[in-house]
Amino acid sequence: MSGAVPMSWALLLALVLFALGLIGLLVRRNLVFILMSIEVMLNAAGLAFVAAGARWGEPDGQVMFLFILAVAAAEVAIGLALVLQMWRRFGDVDADLTGRRDGG
Amino acid sequence: MLIAFAVAATVAVAATALMVSSRHPVHALLDLILSLLAVAVIFYLLGAPLAAALEVIVYAGAIMVLFLFVVMLLDLGRVAEEAQAALEPRALRVPVLLAAVLIAEVMSLLVQAPSGAGGRQVGAAAVGGALFGPYLIAVELAALLLLAGLVAAVHVGRREDAGDTRGSGS
């Protein structure tokens, strides 16, 4: 019990997690992996909010985290529906396929 | 406390890196769940127990199960052959090690301070008060957003009628 965690550490962790998610988003072509990377990035944003809220002992950070949670849930539902639809049409979930539909 | 934060942060970063570099979707999902659990421990250390609980219940529980459903649906053909390779002990060694570290850390935290990690805690009552006080309109908007997400997911994910493979979009 050696005092509270400094906010800069938590923000640094949020930055690293966000960067990792961004790398995954840019590098991977599988849409399921892209959605998972977006989850990591949203989670890192939530971590930054909670860290900032904890720094001043206010509940607002956690409130914002709850809203990020709701946004992530809605985003995942629609994203996974799109992935399912793409799987039915193309038989694959490669992000590069979306530009070539019907020879377009 | 700082050591606990460093350990949880290391687990989170390592699990996320494993997720990004993983080839098998189910492995990636398990690594992602591990990363989310590590972030939940960090929320607890930051004095946000409600956020930690919701991270476990909603993120690692509900959203990741949704992912798992879709991965299982998509991999229907390949799952039978790959299931054997995916469950090989060798492939799971690093994630299991990270999970063991996380469990040991939570256990030690609970032994040291059963009533919550030090620092100022912002409990569920304060968050609920803010949520249904100044943020009430945002809560209503979140409800609308979830409803819109539900409708859109049902609409986008519907099965095409036989013979209408182009999808008229309506």
Side-chain angles (χ1 to χ4, degrees):
Chain A
M1 211 56 56
S2 56
V5 178
M7 182 175 70
S8 57
W9 288 30
L11 288 183
L12 192 66
L13 174 66
L15 177 70
V16 171
L17 285 180
F18 191 90
L20 277 172
L22 187 61
I23 290 172
L25 178 72
L26 294 175
V27 168
R28 304 304 297 247
R29 283 181 306 163
N30 190 324
L31 274 179
V32 176
F33 279 91
I34 290 178
L35 280 176
M36 283 196 266
S37 301
I38 293 175
E39 286 305 303
V40 170
M41 290 164 71
L42 283 171
N43 196 43
L47 174 60
F49 268 119
V50 171
R55 165 67 180 74
W56 284 279
E58 294 289 335
D60 303 66
Q62 291 185 61
V63 170
M64 285 301 157
F65 174 73
L66 292 187
F67 291 141
I68 289 181
L69 210 62
V71 169
E75 173 258 330
V76 154
I78 297 175
L80 287 177
L82 284 170
V83 167
L84 271 181
Q85 199 63 257
M86 190 175 171
W87 178 260
R88 286 200 197 116
R89 293 194 184 195
F90 298 105
D92 201 355
V93 288
D94 194 322
D96 288 352
L97 279 174
T98 49
R100 302 188 209 129
R101 182 168 174 248
D102 295 339
Chain B
M1 187 74 90
L2 294 182
I3 296 171
F5 178 86
V7 170
T10 311
V11 170
V13 170
T16 310
L18 277 175
M19 185 280 279
V20 170
S21 60
S22 164
R23 289 187 66 240
H24 197 281
V26 176
H27 285 175
L29 260 177
L30 293 179
D31 291 332
L32 182 53
I33 290 174
L34 189 55
S35 161
L36 295 176
L37 292 179
V39 173
V41 173
I42 288 169
F43 284 164
Y44 181 71
L45 289 174
L46 285 171
L50 180 67
L54 284 174
E55 174 97 1
V56 173
I57 295 170
V58 179
Y59 249 122
I63 297 181
M64 290 303 120
V65 167
L66 202 61
F67 264 105
L68 199 61
F69 265 119
V70 171
V71 169
M72 291 299 182
L73 272 178
L74 297 189
D75 278 347
L76 270 182
R78 285 180 286 162
V79 144
E81 304 102 64
E82 288 194 357
Q84 301 301 323
L87 292 179
E88 258 185 25
R90 192 163 44 82
L92 295 175
R93 201 157 44 191
V94 178
V96 165
L97 183 69
L98 289 176
V101 168
L102 203 60
I103 289 173
E105 183 188 355
V106 170
M107 285 302 162
S108 79
L109 276 177
L110 287 178
V111 168
Q112 280 176 13
S115 60
R120 268 184 304 179
Q121 291 230 359
V122 181
V127 176
L131 207 54
F132 289 96
Y135 289 102
L136 188 57
I137 291 179
V139 172
E140 303 287 351
L141 286 177
L144 265 184
L145 174 74
L146 286 173
L147 179 65
L150 176 70
V151 172
V154 168
H155 176 72
V156 172
R158 78 200 185 287
R159 199 171 286 279
E160 299 281 345
D161 292 327
D164 183 20
T165 52
R166 285 300 161 99
S168 57
S170 63

